[in-house]
Amino acid sequence: LRSINEDAQVFAYVPGTFAYFAPETNFNCNYHTLKCEISAQYDQQDWWLRDPSATGLNVVQPFGGSETLVNPTSSGWPAWYGAYIAEQVWDRQDVSSDYVWNGIHLDVMTSVPHHLLGPAWDLDRNGLNDQYEAGKGKPWMNEQWEIGVQSFLDELSTGIAASSNPGPVAVYGNGAWEP
């Protein structure tokens, strides 16, 4: 790509606030190791965003399928995922040559989170719908989401700063499914 356009900017694509639930039924993990490694960790730690009946929330087809939202407020997720991207995606490039990536693209990093199946969320897993629970609602949901995502971005920034290619690094996320 750079032989055609030396100014090309190449970004590593990684999931943002979603991952692939049960990837082994959706694609071959021998060819999609990144997706499978992330999903396996989410399964092991139970970092999925769930509804009051403990069903994972899918961003494509509600209550099933493969692209399931993560609960960014889950203990351990921000630190693990920030470090994972820094170490397993960013820092695994060949330091003896030009870096492959110019930045990181985080898919589904929406700025209006409650619209992503918000009426079904149970962030705190107390069996109640957060949007309608007394003292919570959309402002509380958005605040919790923002805190979790900001913690993840801080961890990602720290991990990249400590890497063999500390930057500056462009990191962006799309607002997929945003109203």
Side-chain angles (χ1 to χ4, degrees):
L1 182 62
R2 288 198 178 102
S3 68
I4 297 169
N5 178 358
E6 64 186 40
D7 297 325
Q9 299 293 296
V10 182
F11 285 71
Y13 169 89
V14 294
T17 54
F18 80 101
Y20 298 91
F21 186 77
E24 63 282 353
T25 63
N26 294 295
F27 42 79
N28 185 330
C29 287
N30 291 326
Y31 298 105
H32 299 280
T33 56
L34 176 70
K35 293 177 182 179
C36 292
E37 287 174 14
I38 292 169
S39 294
Q41 186 69 25
Y42 286 15
D43 282 345
Q44 182 180 353
Q45 302 298 326
D46 195 22
W47 286 334
W48 302 112
L49 179 58
R50 299 188 180 278
D51 69 10
S53 68
T55 301
L57 297 179
N58 183 285
V59 296
V60 177
Q61 181 182 7
F63 313 112
S66 65
E67 295 179 12
T68 302
L69 291 171
V70 66
N71 185 341
T73 68
S74 297
S75 175
W77 178 79
W80 178 82
Y81 198 43
Y84 183 87
I85 293 171
E87 295 167 7
Q88 300 301 318
V89 177
W90 186 255
D91 207 30
R92 289 187 69 179
Q93 301 175 76
D94 184 357
V95 296
S96 67
S97 65
D98 290 338
Y99 270 71
V100 174
W101 313 121
N102 297 105
I104 303 288
H105 168 197
L106 301 165
D107 195 9
V108 187
M109 291 295 290
T110 180
S111 61
V112 187
H114 68 260
H115 82 277
L116 289 172
L117 305 169
W121 288 16
D122 183 14
L123 279 169
D124 57 8
R125 295 194 177 178
N126 65 357
L128 300 172
N129 183 298
D130 296 332
Q131 186 163 319
Y132 306 112
E133 188 176 347
K136 292 190 178 167
K138 290 179 182 180
W140 180 86
M141 294 163 61
N142 286 347
E143 178 184 48
Q144 297 306 303
W145 188 275
E146 180 182 345
I147 290 168
V149 169
Q150 185 59 56
S151 180
F152 154 64
L153 292 173
D154 290 345
E155 295 285 348
L156 178 59
S157 177
T158 298
I160 289 176
S163 77
S164 57
N165 183 26
V169 177
V171 175
Y172 77 96
N174 68 344
W177 299 287
E178 201 163 340

